[in-house]
Amino acid sequence: MSLAAKPSATDSDALDVEVPCTRPDILHECDIMEDAAIAYGFNNLPQNLPSTNTVAKPFPVNRLGDILRKECAMAGWIEALPLILVSIPNSSLLLEGAKTHADLQCSHDENFAYLNRPDPGNYAIALANPKSLEYQVVRTSLLPGMLKTARENRSLPLPMKIFECSDVAVQDKREERQSKNYRRLCALYMDRKAGFEVAHGLLDRVMQILGVPFLQTEKSEAEYGYYIAQADGTWFSLRETHR
């Protein structure tokens, strides 16, 4: 297996295994056991019925995501799957073949500057050893990918109704891996005329499925719900709202 192992100094029933840098595929104990099973031979393992029976079920967040995808698709929207990794800006480095800095995709600008959102610092996750210069940062918002999808499909007939229900990741020092995932839902409607009522209808349908009531104003006395208010400056002034 090319793995150095020795008896544990604290537990007589355990082994301390050193994973070399040439084995980036080993992340957990089960990966080491898989190597041991391959070395021993899967055909040599005894075949027995399991002593316990369990029924698998999805994680709550995955089940919620599947429900949202189904409802959006039934409402006539098409799911998009943009890339999760994007590039990182570097003012002193140009990709080979790039003529100007404008040829580089800057994830920092895509996540913050292009969306008129301030960068709180230590927020976006950058890969230590990216495979290529094009994909070095984990996205912090679904919106840039949706806008890119609309840009690359301008030749398709309008209206365009696309959505994505997926994860974004940010730094979180409180977590064991110093990062945390958040499941988000983003929908984009594009046509030759304004269609706020179309996007609003999808929002109302999603909230209806989730059992979240609509509130007329922020000052409503209800315990919970959603309402429409001016957004955070991402869109044109006086032509934007957020939940």
Side-chain angles (χ1 to χ4, degrees), residues 77-96:
W77 295 68
I78 300 176
E79 184 175 10
L81 297 174
L83 298 176
I84 298 177
L85 297 178
V86 289
S87 64
I88 192 172
N90 191 333
S91 59
S92 62
L93 177 64
L94 288 177
L95 292 177
E96 183 178 359

Side-chain angles (χ1 to χ4, degrees), residues 203-215 224-227 243:
L203 173 63
D204 289 342
R205 176 56 180 169
V206 169
M207 292 301 174
Q208 181 184 20
I209 293 298
L210 299 179
V212 181
F214 177 74
L215 305 180
Y224 70 98
Y226 75 101
Y227 59 93
R243 179 179 62 83

Side-chain angles (χ1 to χ4, degrees), residues 83 85-88 105 127 130-137:
L83 298 176
L85 297 178
V86 289
S87 64
I88 192 172
Q105 297 181 6
L127 304 185
K131 187 176 182 180
S132 68
L133 294 176
E134 297 182 37
Y135 309 109
Q136 303 184 65
V137 175

Side-chain angles (χ1 to χ4, degrees), residues 115-116 143 147 188 231-237 239-241:
L115 302 180
N116 292 330
L143 187 55
L147 294 175
L188 184 147
D232 55 1
T234 299
W235 309 101
F236 294 114
S237 179
R239 297 178 61 88
E240 56 184 2
T241 61

